[in-house]
Amino acid sequence: MRYIEITVPAGRRQAVIDVLDEEGIDYIVSDETSGREYAAVVRFPLPTRAVEHVLDRLNRVGIGDDSRVVIIDAETVISQQFDDLLDRHSQGGTKGERMSRQVLRTKAEELTPAFPIYVVMLLISAVVATAGLLADSPAVVVGSMVIAPLIGPALAANVGIVTDDDGLKTSGFAYQLSGITIVIAASIGLALLARLAGLEPGGVDIVVAAELQERVSPNLLSLAVALGAGVAGILSLTRGFSEAIVGVMIAAALIPPAAAVGITVAWGMYGAASGAAILVLVNLLSINLAALATLWVAGYRPQGLFEVAPSRRTTYTYGAAFGVGLLVLAAPLVGVTLLDFHTTEVKSAADKEVDSVLEDPQYEDVEVESVEVLLDDDYPLRSIDRVVVTVSDTEPGPKPVLADQLHEAISEHADDAVVEIRYDVTEERGDDRREYVVRTSERE
């Protein structure tokens, strides 16, 4: 419920009262004596769902920018007339809240902090995310998401689009783009310091860390996080759910990938950096597209006679731009997803072929230790580099016939990848037990 207070300009008092009477609203009118060209002050309670409708009607009779409208929360209203009004504005038998367009703008602005605070919080988030990725620590990476204040800008930009508020829209997009830039720059600086200090050796393939690897070679599942974050963000804003939890979801889609860009740039791995950058842009577009679509479907848009069409065109323009950009940038994610499926198929086929070959009685002492499908380092669009089969045996030395059979069987499924056979040999002499690996020749 909301409690509304409106200062009524001279000459508009009766028009306002007529609207309130027609709507069946219980109101109080008092004279305004400040001498500032206001005739009266009107106060009345409203169901949350009715706020937007009533304010739009009052706007059409002259309650515009030259009036002051104050909207505050009301805990309880005891009035039969208000109960009737509440029933009339319920939808589908429910009395659930739908935040008014006017309150929505204010809420979006409140969620966007002052720029200096925004920069400081993002710098802290970038430091924590970079440290977490370098240390391969999921807990630390999650901590960086909690710190980042990204929900406000993401929602403000799209609230500004659908309500035709250019100031809110511009500040929202400016905050988003500057925020991503700040995180990437801070991550580059911290990663360079870590590398120069020897905390992470420069010759190491840094993307072997699981937390980093999944962000430099992303697949289509990454879209689910960003799209869900955009929808959930708007629902949290309009329905009064916890914005803090949804803010973590939005940060999860943006902060770690942006930090991954900085780390891979610091290591000179520009292919991996491009993969992470694509993920950042895809997630940014997905969050904004999902938020914009959710707002429009929920009916948030200017209601004036001459405002609807321009707002609709603007929303369609931004929606189309987000959609086209998303389709173009999602192409590498589709390639990675298809590679994941293909890798799984090759792994499954290789497992079956190895088991089939080792069923031969002459290999009864040979056991398969592992079958691995390894990818190359050509990020972000990688390919299968080699299939490595490790078998164990109690007899030293490789078995050329076994190697030939395994090569022939697996090569049918491995395309042009190298097939490599390794022997993990266990040799026992009395109480002396020795284990060593013999690596066979490789075949393409």
Side-chain angles (χ1 to χ4, degrees):
M1 293 175 290
R2 301 289 187 264
Y3 191 69
I4 316 297
E5 179 183 284
I6 300 175
T7 55
V8 181
R12 302 294 180 183
R13 176 171 177 161
Q14 189 58 48
V16 169
I17 291 175
D18 290 343
V19 169
L20 298 181
D21 286 336
E22 290 173 10
E23 292 290 337
I25 296 170
D26 194 7
Y27 59 88
I28 298 173
V29 181
S30 59
D31 291 333
E32 214 287 326
T33 60
S34 66
R36 291 180 295 176
E37 299 182 356
Y38 294 121
V41 177
V42 180
R43 302 177 182 88
F44 51 91
L46 280 180
T48 301
R49 287 184 180 274
V51 172
E52 190 170 356
H53 166 70
V54 171
L55 290 183
D56 285 336
R57 285 206 62 185
L58 292 174
N59 181 264
R60 289 194 286 271
V61 298
I63 303 302
D65 294 337
D66 56 342
S67 303
R68 185 185 69 235
V69 178
V70 179
I71 304 173
I72 61 176
D73 290 330
E75 293 292 334
T76 305
V77 177
I78 302 175
S79 167
Q80 182 59 49
Q81 191 170 356
F82 181 83
D83 291 341
D84 294 340
L85 188 65
L86 184 62
D87 290 334
R88 193 164 73 247
H89 285 278
S90 64
Q91 295 180 3
T94 70
K95 297 181 176 66
E97 292 191 351
R98 176 189 181 274
M99 189 176 294
S100 69
R101 194 173 69 256
Q102 294 81 2
V103 175
L104 184 67
R105 288 178 178 175
T106 303
K107 189 70 172 177
E109 291 174 346
E110 289 176 350
L111 287 173
T112 304
F115 193 72
I117 300 298
Y118 181 69
V119 171
V120 171
M121 295 298 288
L122 281 179
L123 287 174
I124 297 172
S125 179
V127 169
V128 175
T130 303
L133 291 173
L134 289 174
D136 199 20
S137 172
V140 177
V141 174
V142 170
S144 71
M145 304 171 192
V146 177
I147 300 170
L150 291 176
I151 183 171
L155 302 185
N158 295 283
V159 170
I161 291 173
V162 298
T163 60
D164 204 23
D165 188 329
D166 290 336
L168 195 60
K169 174 181 64 179
T170 302
S171 65
F173 283 126
Y175 266 71
Q176 288 184 70
L177 296 176
S178 61
I180 295 299
T181 303
I182 289 167
V183 173
I184 292 175
S187 298
I188 292 174
L190 183 60
L192 283 173
L193 288 175
R195 186 174 179 182
L196 293 174
L199 299 178
E200 296 286 347
V204 173
D205 182 6
I206 195 67
V207 297
V208 297
E211 285 294 314
L212 194 56
Q213 189 174 60
E214 67 185 38
R215 292 175 172 94
V216 299
S217 187
N219 57 30
L220 282 176
L221 292 177
S222 305
L223 281 176
V225 175
L227 291 171
V231 174
I234 291 301
L235 291 179
S236 70
L237 184 63
T238 60
R239 303 293 174 172
F241 302 143
S242 172
E243 293 94 358
I245 296 175
V246 181
V248 173
M249 190 174 181
I250 290 178
L254 297 175
I255 295 297
V261 174
I263 292 171
T264 47
V265 167
W267 253 258
M269 303 179 66
Y270 301 113
S274 67
I278 289 171
L279 179 59
V280 171
L281 294 175
V282 165
N283 285 349
L284 192 63
L285 290 171
S286 299
I287 289 170
N288 283 280
L289 179 62
L292 185 62
T294 304
L295 281 168
W296 187 261
V297 170
Y300 288 101
R301 65 200 71 163
Q303 298 298 312
L305 179 62
F306 301 105
E307 293 179 294
V308 173
S311 175
R312 182 177 289 115
R313 286 195 297 270
T314 301
T315 303
Y316 288 168
T317 299
Y318 275 94
F322 292 155
V324 171
L326 189 58
L327 288 175
V328 172
L329 291 172
L333 274 64
V334 174
V336 173
T337 303
L338 294 176
L339 175 62
D340 289 342
F341 288 144
H342 184 51
T343 301
T344 302
E345 292 175 351
V346 172
K347 173 69 166 58
S348 178
D351 284 335
K352 292 179 180 179
E353 295 293 352
V354 171
D355 290 339
S356 177
V357 171
L358 295 184
E359 286 177 357
D360 194 314
Q362 64 176 317
Y363 303 128
E364 60 181 357
D365 295 329
V366 179
E367 295 183 0
V368 60
E369 294 290 331
S370 65
V371 177
E372 299 175 284
V373 179
L374 305 180
L375 305 180
D376 58 29
D377 296 330
D378 295 332
Y379 294 96
L381 297 178
R382 308 167 73 189
S383 58
I384 296 176
D385 181 57
R386 62 183 58 225
V387 179
V388 179
V389 180
T390 303
V391 296
S392 62
D393 196 358
T394 56
E395 297 181 7
K399 291 180 170 60
V401 176
L402 173 60
D404 290 340
Q405 290 178 330
L406 290 174
H407 276 297
E408 183 177 353
I410 296 173
S411 296
E412 297 178 1
H413 308 280
D415 301 328
D416 297 328
V418 173
V419 178
E420 178 182 328
I421 313 299
R422 299 181 181 180
Y423 293 87
D424 183 2
V425 181
T426 302
E427 185 177 5
E428 297 186 11
R429 295 181 181 177
D431 295 333
D432 186 16
R433 179 183 178 89
R434 301 178 181 177
E435 295 186 3
Y436 54 94
V437 175
V438 179
R439 180 168 165 177
T440 71
S441 58
E442 303 171 352
R443 298 186 185 179
E444 296 186 1

